[in-house]
Amino acid sequence: APTPETLQFLEEGRIDFGIVSTPFIKQPGMEAVEVRQIEDIFVAGRKFLPYKNKMLDLQELEHLPMIFLEKNTSTRSYMDSYLKEWGVEIAPEFELATSDMIVQFALRNLGVGCVVRDFAQPHIDSGQLFELRFNHMIPKRSFCVVRSTRMAMSGAARQLTEIMGIEQEQMEGR
C-alpha cells in the first residue's frame, strides 16, 4: 500500500510492521529502521530518443507528457515538493496506482515516467527505456521498516524481520 495507508494500518494495529519510503512523518510510538537506499529517476521509450544523452533542465519536464504515481503516495509528494523547489509544476498526463504501471506506460511511449530506479532497471538494461539526465541530482531516499512500539510484534513478524536482516534491537531502538 502507499506509505500513508501503510502508516494508518500500523497505527490501527492492523499490521505488525510496514515497509515505507522516506520522507514520512514518524508518529509518536513508531520506530523506523532504514533498510535500503532508493533513487527516483525519469525514464522514457523510443518516442523520446531526442532527449537521450542530453543534459536537461528540470523545467523541460513541464513540456513533456508525464506519468506519475497518484497523489496519495509519499513518492509523489516527495517529487512534487522537489520539483517545486526548482520552480517546476507538473500536470501529469497519467496518475497511476503502481510503479509497474508507470513502467508499462513508458514502454508504450505514452510519456516520461517518474519511478524508483529498481522498477525500471531491467528495461533500461535491455535498451527498451532510457534514463533522462538532469543538471540537478535528485536526492536519494530510503525504504524503512516501521513498527509500532505500542504493541508487540507477532512471532511470525519477528522471524520475517530477522530473515530480512533486521535485528530486534534495531526495531526496538536499542
Side-chain angles (χ1 to χ4, degrees), residues 7-169:
L7 294 174
Q8 181 69 37
F9 289 166
L10 191 62
E11 187 69 27
E12 293 169 358
R14 293 170 60 187
I15 58 176
D16 286 312
F17 68 90
I19 299 174
V20 298
S21 60
T22 60
F24 64 92
I25 298 170
K26 194 166 90 169
Q27 302 296 325
M30 188 181 296
E31 295 173 336
V33 175
E34 183 179 313
V35 292
R36 188 170 192 279
Q37 273 200 334
I38 56 175
E39 186 177 5
D40 299 284
I41 63 172
F42 291 90
V43 295
R46 298 189 198 303
K47 179 179 175 183
F48 300 92
L49 278 176
Y51 295 96
K52 189 174 183 175
N53 299 322
K54 182 179 173 192
M55 189 61 66
L56 303 170
D57 279 327
L58 289 169
Q59 285 73 18
E60 293 182 62
L61 292 173
E62 292 178 333
H63 309 292
L64 293 170
M66 299 302 302
I67 311 166
F68 270 71
L69 284 173
E70 296 171 338
K71 285 190 179 269
N72 66 333
T73 65
S74 62
T75 295
R76 174 65 185 274
S77 297
Y78 175 75
M79 288 308 301
D80 283 349
S81 177
Y82 174 76
L83 292 171
K84 193 171 190 170
E85 284 178 29
W86 293 101
V88 178
E89 299 268 345
I90 298 293
E93 296 287 319
F94 300 99
E95 294 179 333
L96 304 174
T98 69
S99 295
D100 288 328
M101 290 174 63
I102 292 173
V103 170
Q104 291 303 312
F105 275 50
L107 285 167
R108 286 161 180 75
N109 293 301
L110 296 172
V112 173
C114 178
V115 294
V116 170
R117 177 182 298 284
D118 296 349
F119 289 102
Q121 194 64 55
H123 302 287
I124 294 169
D125 292 345
S126 72
Q128 295 173 295
L129 293 176
F130 65 91
E131 179 182 350
L132 278 70
R133 305 281 180 204
F134 296 97
N135 54 2
H136 298 286
M137 295 293 295
I138 301 169
K140 291 183 181 182
R141 302 182 299 133
S142 297
F143 281 138
C144 295
V145 173
V146 292
R147 78 168 200 102
S148 172
T149 58
R150 296 185 181 126
M151 57 184 255
M153 283 200 305
S154 68
R158 276 195 309 278
Q159 277 191 307
L160 182 55
T161 56
E162 287 171 14
I163 290 169
M164 293 167 55
I166 301 167
E167 302 297 324
Q168 285 315 117
E169 291 77 26

